Amino acid sequence: MQNSCKKQLSITIASFLFFAVFATGCRSKGDYKRLAKTGESYTLAVNKLLIASGEITIEASSEQLLQEDQRKKPLNSTVTASRYDDVSQPDYERLRIIREIRNHNLLLKDYFAKLSLLAESKSPETAKTEIDGIVGNLNKVGQNLKKKDLIENPSLISGISNLIVNSRIRGVLREELEKRNKTIMEELTLQEELLKYLSKSMEKEIIIIQKIHEDRLVIQPLAQIKLIDNEDAWIENRIQILTMHRKSDELKDASEKLSEFKTMFKYFVEGKLSVKRLNQFVRDIDSFLEILEQNKKLTEKTVPNNK
C-alpha cells in the first residue's frame, strides 16, 4: 500500500518551519536543518496516506465485485460491463477528489515557500506576483472541494475571522499577512476537515475489506478438513486483517497534526510563537512519524498471503 511519491505533492510544513525560525530566535543551522527535515518527512508521509486512501477505496469495491462474481458464476451468470461501470464510477470520483486534495497541498506548500522568499527578498515584487497567482489557484481548488459537500460542519470555515498581525512583523510581509491570513486559515481548515472526511470513509471501506478477507483468508482455511498448509502465513493474514484500522487512524492523526500546524501559523501571525512551542510541535511531528514508520514495518511484516 505504501507507494513512493513526489516531494512536491505535499503539505506546507517544511516551508513554514523555515519561515517560523525568524520569528522565534531559533536561527542556528542545526535547528533549521532539523525543522526542515521534520517538515519534509511529514509532508511525504501525509501524501503517502492520501495515496493509500485511494487504494483502499479501489480494494473495497474490487472485493465487492469479486463476491458478486462468485455468487453469479454457479447460476451461469456474470457481472455485466454496466454493473462494473456502476461500481467503478464512485471510485473514479473519489480518486478525483484525492487528486484535488493533493493539488491543494501543493499550492499551500508553494504559498509558504513564496512567503519565506517575501520575508527575505530585497526586491519582493516577483514573489508578490507569484503569491497572487498561487492564491488565485488555491481559492479555485478550495471552492471546487467545498462544492462537493464533504465537510460535516462548514461553519468551521465560514466562521474564521481575520487575525491581528503582530507589530513586530513589518513591510511587505506584514502587508501579505494582513491581506491573506484569513484566507490561509480557511484553506488550512478545509484541508484538515477533508483529511477527517477521508479517514471516516476509509473506516467504512476497511470494514468491508476486513469482513471479506477474514472469511476468505482466515475462516475458510479453518473450516476445511485438511490442516492449514502454512500456519505462519495464516497468522500473518489474521494480524494484518484485524489491524487494518491503523490506516484510517493514521489519516485521522495527520488531520490532528495539521490542526496543530494551523495553530502554529496563528501564533506566528499574532506574535505568540515561542521557541518552546515550536520545539514541542516538532517533537509531536517526530512522534507521529515514528508511529507511521512502526506501522509500516508491521504492515510489511504481515502482508496478506492468499495462498
Side-chain angles (χ1 to χ4, degrees):
M1 285 290 181
Q2 298 289 345
N3 290 347
S4 61
C5 61
K6 296 181 180 179
K7 290 184 180 180
Q8 67 266 30
L9 295 173
S10 58
I11 256 172
T12 60
I13 289 181
S15 297
F16 171 71
L17 289 174
F18 171 76
F19 184 50
V21 164
F22 296 93
T24 61
C26 178
R27 301 183 181 182
S28 73
K29 283 187 177 181
D31 285 335
Y32 167 64
K33 286 181 180 179
R34 180 186 172 215
L35 293 172
K37 183 178 180 181
T38 298
E40 182 178 316
S41 298
Y42 174 84
T43 60
L44 293 174
V46 169
N47 193 62
K48 288 181 180 180
L49 295 179
L50 288 171
I51 293 172
S53 71
E55 293 173 347
I56 286 288
T57 295
I58 296 170
E59 186 174 359
S61 61
S62 296
E63 289 289 0
Q64 289 179 305
L65 285 168
L66 287 173
Q67 271 201 331
E68 286 188 30
D69 183 63
Q70 291 170 0
R71 288 196 298 265
K72 287 177 175 291
K73 287 293 168 63
L75 302 175
N76 293 321
S77 182
T78 62
V79 175
T80 65
S82 175
R83 173 57 181 160
Y84 176 83
D85 288 342
D86 288 342
V87 174
S88 296
Q89 283 307 311
D91 293 350
Y92 287 125
E93 177 60 22
R94 174 65 65 80
L95 294 175
R96 280 192 289 269
I97 289 171
I98 291 172
R99 282 197 298 271
E100 286 194 58
I101 294 173
R102 293 169 70 191
N103 186 28
H104 194 255
N105 291 341
L106 169 62
L107 290 166
L108 276 168
K109 178 187 73 69
D110 288 347
Y111 174 80
F112 280 99
K114 296 301 179 186
L115 203 61
S116 297
L117 292 177
L118 191 66
E120 295 179 285
S121 178
K122 294 180 180 178
S123 53
E125 292 305 316
T126 300
K128 287 173 65 176
T129 301
E130 291 174 340
I131 284 175
D132 287 340
I134 290 167
V135 173
N137 289 328
L138 185 62
N139 283 332
K140 182 178 179 181
V141 175
Q143 288 301 320
N144 286 338
L145 287 167
K146 289 174 187 175
K147 290 176 183 177
K148 298 183 184 298
D149 295 325
L150 305 175
I151 298 175
E152 291 184 358
N153 188 1
S155 65
L156 290 173
I157 298 174
S158 61
I160 291 173
S161 58
N162 277 302
L163 303 174
I164 298 175
V165 181
N166 185 265
S167 60
R168 289 179 296 176
I169 301 175
R170 300 174 182 175
V172 292
L173 180 57
R174 182 181 184 84
E175 292 176 13
E176 174 57 32
L177 291 176
E178 285 181 335
K179 182 178 180 181
R180 295 199 172 101
N181 73 74
K182 181 174 180 288
T183 296
I184 299 306
M185 289 291 288
E186 288 173 345
E187 299 300 341
L188 288 172
T189 303
L190 171 63
Q191 192 175 127
E192 175 191 349
E193 293 304 307
L194 288 170
L195 290 178
K196 288 181 185 176
Y197 156 76
L198 288 177
S199 174
K200 290 180 180 179
S201 296
M202 281 180 71
E203 288 177 6
K204 298 175 183 177
E205 292 160 348
I206 284 171
I207 290 172
I208 294 171
I209 297 169
Q210 279 181 313
K211 187 175 185 303
I212 296 172
H213 280 192
E214 191 170 21
D215 180 65
R216 184 171 70 235
L217 301 175
V218 177
I219 297 174
Q220 287 186 22
L222 281 177
Q224 295 174 358
I225 298 299
K226 68 174 185 176
L227 293 173
I228 293 173
D229 293 330
N230 190 333
E231 293 176 348
D232 289 337
W234 182 88
I235 292 173
E236 290 175 358
N237 284 336
R238 189 163 184 264
I239 292 172
Q240 175 68 7
I241 291 164
L242 296 183
T243 59
M244 281 188 72
H245 62 84
R246 284 198 305 252
K247 299 181 187 299
S248 59
D249 290 345
E250 288 170 350
L251 208 52
K252 180 181 177 182
D253 291 344
S255 174
E256 291 173 356
K257 297 309 170 193
L258 183 57
S259 178
E260 292 178 25
F261 168 69
K262 185 176 65 175
T263 300
M264 292 301 104
F265 175 69
K266 179 176 182 291
Y267 283 159
F268 168 75
V269 173
E270 295 177 336
K272 300 176 183 177
L273 183 57
S274 65
V275 173
K276 182 178 179 180
R277 275 176 171 159
L278 189 59
N279 285 339
Q280 182 60 54
F281 175 64
V282 172
R283 285 193 292 271
D284 290 344
I285 296 298
D286 285 341
S287 297
F288 169 69
L289 294 173
E290 185 177 346
I291 292 171
L292 288 185
E293 187 61 28
Q294 290 173 353
N295 288 348
K296 180 182 176 183
K297 289 178 181 178
L298 287 172
T299 300
E300 290 172 346
K301 182 181 177 182
T302 59
V303 175
N305 190 324
N306 293 306
K307 294 183 179 180

